[in-house]
Amino acid sequence: MAAPVHLLSLSLGGFRNHAATRIEPGRAGFVLLTGANGAGKTNILEAVSLLAVGRGLRGAALSHMAAAGGEGGFQLRAELLPDPGLPPVLLHSFTLPAAPERRQLRVNGAAAALSTLADWSAQLWLTPAMDRLFSDSASARRRFLDRLVLALSPGHGGHANRYEAAMRARTRLLTADTPADPAWLEALEAQMAEHGAALLAARADTVAALSAVLAAAPEGVFPKPAIALSEPEVWPADALRARLQGARGADRAAGRATFGPHRADLLVTHAEKAMPAALASTGEQKALLISILLAHAALTAERSGRVPLLLLDEAAAHLDPERRRALFQRVSALGGQAWLTGTDAALFEGLEAERYHVAGGGVEKA
């Protein structure tokens, strides 16, 4: 059985509209946050998302997360249980007034690199902004895919950052007024090839594994999506490097890299209707997205031995009652912890959950 990653407690200090908030769910299962729009429900989920590798579910600047425009920094403290057989881990993530865009981490009181969060926390999330994912840009779907890959391959984020940095430097060299230094250009292309090949391989592996889980899923009220990569080829580093060298002229004229993993797209189809997901109704698009998320949670549990913590912001919106019940049943069957938000508590009637009411940056047990 996979172990459920879950928070025993969460404390926020100076985080967005939460001056001092503490929540103690204490166990796996559902944690339900209800309240009016603007009360601070999503802010709590965003704080939880910062206890995983990455920039959080909004991808916002750290200074925007701190109260009073970032002047005082923020503090996040959490007691996390990564495995029932292990003691709780104390995570302290914070920024300081002198460095509002630099997030720091302490694990059990000792300074630690942010990348070590992957050793303790696995998370997946769904937000209202993702409802339009299938009609959004390719870059939005690529970021979504990379988040799925990251849950399975913690090193994926490092490859993405190094690839992007090398690509930007190469573009600056190619478009400079003076001729580029050939040795430096080759070195940058070698970096792009090394990290780009790793990106392509990890994405292809994730899409193939997730496709198998989706295909094997039992029939139900959620439609089955078919997923694929727009550029499914996995390029060896040497071949990718040669392709980049051959594209220098075109890239100089375009002012950007015209080829590479940064141009990939995730293609999603409503399998039963053989229809691109972007053409499906709003409710169907959300149902397709939920199918992908739940399948990936199951895949993550199978591969890592840990059930990821789920953050579901307004997930019940646009779902009919039957699909809403099915969502709760499938999330419950995973056996992990799921944090849900909603403005209407009636949508969650009958759901066994730790319930909290959020209002004006404060939280009360409901």
Side-chain angles (χ1 to χ4, degrees), residues 190-280:
Q191 291 180 42
M192 288 180 66
E194 175 189 353
H195 298 295
L199 289 176
L200 292 171
R203 286 173 180 165
D205 174 69
T206 296
V207 169
L210 189 53
S211 293
V213 175
L214 287 166
E219 299 296 333
V221 296
F222 286 104
K224 284 191 178 184
I227 62 173
L229 287 167
S230 61
E231 299 178 16
E233 297 89 351
V234 176
W235 289 68
D238 289 346
L240 188 54
R241 182 176 179 179
R243 176 88 180 254
L244 288 167
Q245 290 174 346
R248 287 177 185 175
D251 292 354
R252 183 181 294 109
R256 57 182 173 81
T258 57
F259 164 80
H262 62 285
R263 296 179 61 82
D265 192 1
L266 177 66
L267 308 178
V268 181
T269 304
H270 189 308
E272 183 181 354
K273 296 184 177 181
M275 176 177 65
L279 301 181

Side-chain angles (χ1 to χ4, degrees), residues 322-340:
E322 186 179 14
R323 280 180 174 163
R324 201 159 53 239
R325 287 192 296 271
L327 170 63
F328 298 155
Q329 289 170 359
R330 289 188 60 178
V331 171
S332 180
L334 287 170
Q337 189 179 65
W339 292 59
L340 290 76

Side-chain angles (χ1 to χ4, degrees), residues 122-143:
Q123 295 186 19
L124 296 171
W125 54 70
L126 184 66
T127 69
M130 295 165 63
D131 287 356
R132 57 180 180 272
L133 179 71
F134 303 129
S135 56
D136 207 336
S137 64
S139 61
R141 287 184 293 277
R142 190 164 55 249
R143 288 193 298 272

Side-chain angles (χ1 to χ4, degrees), residues 15 28 43 48 50 53 74 133-134 190-191 194 205 213-214 248 292-295 299 307 316 324-325 337 352 359:
F15 187 85
N43 294 342
V48 176
L50 292 179
V53 175
F74 65 75
L133 179 71
F134 303 129
Q191 291 180 42
E194 175 189 353
D205 174 69
V213 175
L214 287 166
R248 287 177 185 175
I292 293 173
L293 187 79
L294 295 178
L299 176 62
V307 181
R324 201 159 53 239
R325 287 192 296 271
Q337 189 179 65
E352 183 179 348

